């Protein structure tokens, strides 16, 4: 097999007098008017000492992210028919259903992302509760985190589409953030067991004293997720689930086992496939009003406890030894 080579830097595009048409190519485009993303943060807190070393607190915390970085395909298949009403011409003389016939996908980086967060935090802490050797902290958070794009590249496990579903309507994807947890409780403690620490016998102190018990417990409600219907994803994006009848429950199901490591979590009505007769696919707006919202469903909650039992043996004022027994996810 013989292949021709060229000494010209332009390679096969070298020469003159010949028109060379390139096929449609995809673009990665950064908008010329892109600016730095920014966020505002604000908070207010009230603390009250309930007793010596014991403090209760109430705090409000909020934030607003604006001009966050986003990704959208502004030249998806079918957009030309939907928004212009006619096909576009390609560089090779054919036609396409895209807005711009010169290119295929145009993945655009811009500032169409935004977010909002509000939280109420109640806490209680003590460094030596009633002088009994007990230290503890406990914090409960009631919060809501919302956005239209939790990460620029939609890289969480529950996403089936890249960037914004509707590149011309950033508000369409506004919903609960991928990481939103409505309720969260975290506590920790360290208890220096006082018994036998002051025994008259050094042998008794070393054998039965010097114990401490510590632990960390955290629990939260489930994170949200989106149900996608990819049966009509002919242009690389999946529309969200459109229920055939009204969905009455968006939360946790019965978690009935249906196999090894598989559970029947939530029963949903059959889906109505979204097919746009003009565009010929299901991923170009306008989208139906009954389409489920982004992150409309909730996964199961989570809780975990870690415990530790420590034993200190004291040899002198300067030297001691500690034995540690620790269990993570003890239950």
């Amino acid at each position: 097999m013989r292949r021709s080579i060229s000494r010209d830097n332009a390679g096969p595009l070298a020469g003159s007098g010949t028109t060379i048409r390139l096929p449609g190519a995809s673009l990665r485009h950064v908008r010329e008017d892109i600016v730095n993303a920014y966020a505002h943060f604000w908070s207010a807190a009230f603390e009250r000492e309930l007793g010596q070393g014991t403090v209760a607190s109430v705090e409000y915390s909020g934030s607003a992210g604006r001009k966050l970085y986003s990704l959208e395909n502004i030249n998806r298949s079918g957009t030309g028919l939907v928004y212009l009403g006619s096909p576009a011409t390609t560089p090779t003389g054919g036609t396409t259903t895209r807005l711009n016939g010169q290119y295929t996908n145009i993945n655009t980086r811009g500032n169409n992302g935004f977010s909002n967060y509000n939280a109420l935090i109640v806490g209680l802490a003590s460094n030596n509760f009633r002088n009994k050797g007990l230290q503890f902290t406990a914090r409960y958070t009631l919060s809501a985190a919302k956005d239209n794009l939790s990460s620029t590249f939609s890289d969480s496990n529950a996403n089936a589409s890249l960037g914004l579903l509707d590149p011309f309507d950033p508000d369409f994807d506004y919903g609960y953030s991928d990481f939103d947890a409505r309720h969260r409780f975290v506590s920790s403690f360290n208890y220096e067991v006082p018994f036998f620490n002051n025994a008259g016998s050094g042998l008794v102190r070393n054998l039965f004293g010097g114990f401490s018990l510590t632990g960390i417990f955290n629990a939260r409600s489930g994170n949200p997720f989106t149900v996608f219907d990819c049966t009509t994803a002919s242009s690389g994006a999946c529309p969200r689930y459109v229920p055939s009848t009204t969905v009455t429950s968006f939360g946790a199901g019965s978690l009935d086992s249906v196999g090894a490591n598989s559970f029947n979590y939530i029963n949903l009505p059959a889906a109505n496939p979204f097919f746009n007769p003009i565009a010929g696919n299901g991923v170009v707006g306008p989208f139906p009003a009954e389409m489920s919202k982004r992150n409309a469903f909730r996964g199961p909650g989570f809780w975990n406890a870690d415990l530790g039992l420590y034993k200190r043996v004291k040899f002198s004022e300067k030297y001691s030894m500690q034995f540690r027994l620790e269990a993570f996810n003890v239950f």
Side-chain angles (χ1 to χ4, degrees):
M1 180 181 295
R2 179 178 297 178
R3 296 182 181 276
S4 60
I5 60 175
S6 172
R7 292 180 295 176
D8 193 292
N9 289 338
L13 302 181
S16 61
T18 302
T19 300
I20 301 175
R21 289 187 177 273
L22 297 177
S26 63
L27 296 182
R28 291 185 178 181
H29 167 235
V30 179
R31 287 184 55 133
E32 293 78 3
D33 59 350
I34 195 170
V35 298
N36 289 333
Y38 64 92
H40 298 293
F41 298 90
W42 57 90
S43 63
F46 173 80
E47 293 185 347
R48 174 73 175 180
E49 188 175 32
L50 303 181
Q52 184 177 3
T54 302
V55 177
S57 63
V58 178
E59 179 183 354
Y60 165 75
S61 179
S63 68
R66 297 295 180 262
K67 301 291 184 181
L68 305 181
Y69 302 121
S70 63
L71 174 65
E72 47 266 354
N73 180 8
I74 62 173
N75 205 39
R76 195 176 289 160
S77 295
T79 50
L81 296 180
V82 172
Y83 297 108
L84 297 181
S86 61
T89 303
T90 66
T92 56
T95 60
T96 178
T97 62
R98 302 178 188 271
L99 281 172
N100 189 328
Q102 186 175 354
Y103 306 103
T104 56
N105 294 326
I106 303 180
N107 291 326
T108 301
R109 275 70 163 170
N111 291 118
N112 285 325
F114 60 94
S115 66
N116 295 290
Y117 175 76
N118 292 279
L120 177 67
I121 305 148
V122 179
L124 183 66
S126 179
N127 57 21
N128 189 3
F129 184 70
R130 291 193 158 189
N131 297 316
K132 299 296 184 181
L134 175 63
Q135 303 175 43
F136 68 86
T137 62
R139 293 173 69 86
Y140 166 73
T141 302
L142 173 65
S143 65
K146 290 188 173 183
D147 56 35
N148 66 336
L149 193 62
S150 294
S151 65
T152 304
F153 293 96
S154 305
D155 49 3
S156 72
N157 293 329
N159 285 323
S161 294
L162 178 64
L164 299 176
L165 181 60
D166 190 342
F168 306 107
D169 184 8
D171 294 341
F172 185 68
D173 282 338
Y174 186 67
Y176 291 108
S177 304
D178 295 345
F179 48 83
D180 175 65
R182 184 66 48 80
H183 306 279
R184 185 186 299 273
F185 176 77
V186 179
S187 65
S188 64
F189 71 92
N190 183 68
Y191 179 48
E192 297 283 348
V193 182
F195 310 112
F196 303 107
N197 286 341
N198 299 317
S201 170
L203 179 62
V204 173
R205 288 197 304 270
N206 281 329
L207 287 178
F208 302 105
F211 282 96
S212 61
L213 182 66
T214 184
I216 300 174
F217 175 79
N218 69 84
R220 62 167 174 81
S221 54
N223 296 129
F225 64 92
T226 304
V227 177
F228 294 94
D229 182 3
C230 297
T231 57
T232 56
S234 59
S235 64
C238 292
R240 297 193 290 269
Y241 162 71
V242 181
S244 56
T245 59
T246 302
V247 178
T248 58
S249 175
F250 295 88
S254 60
L255 291 178
D256 297 327
S257 177
V258 293
N261 298 319
S262 297
F263 299 88
N264 182 15
Y265 179 66
I266 186 170
N267 293 317
L268 296 175
N272 279 337
F274 171 47
F275 184 83
N276 190 313
I278 299 176
N281 62 67
V283 291
V284 179
F287 294 92
E290 61 271 21
M291 176 180 283
S292 58
K293 294 182 179 297
R294 170 177 164 266
N295 284 337
F297 301 87
R298 287 276 170 179
F302 167 85
W303 66 274
N304 180 74
D306 302 326
L307 291 177
L309 178 63
Y310 305 150
K311 172 72 170 78
R312 182 178 298 277
V313 178
K314 196 171 184 179
F315 299 112
S316 66
E317 292 295 329
K318 187 176 181 180
Y319 298 103
S320 64
M321 178 184 297
Q322 187 183 62
F323 297 92
R324 303 169 71 97
L325 176 64
E326 296 178 336
F328 299 94
N329 191 19
V330 67
F331 295 111

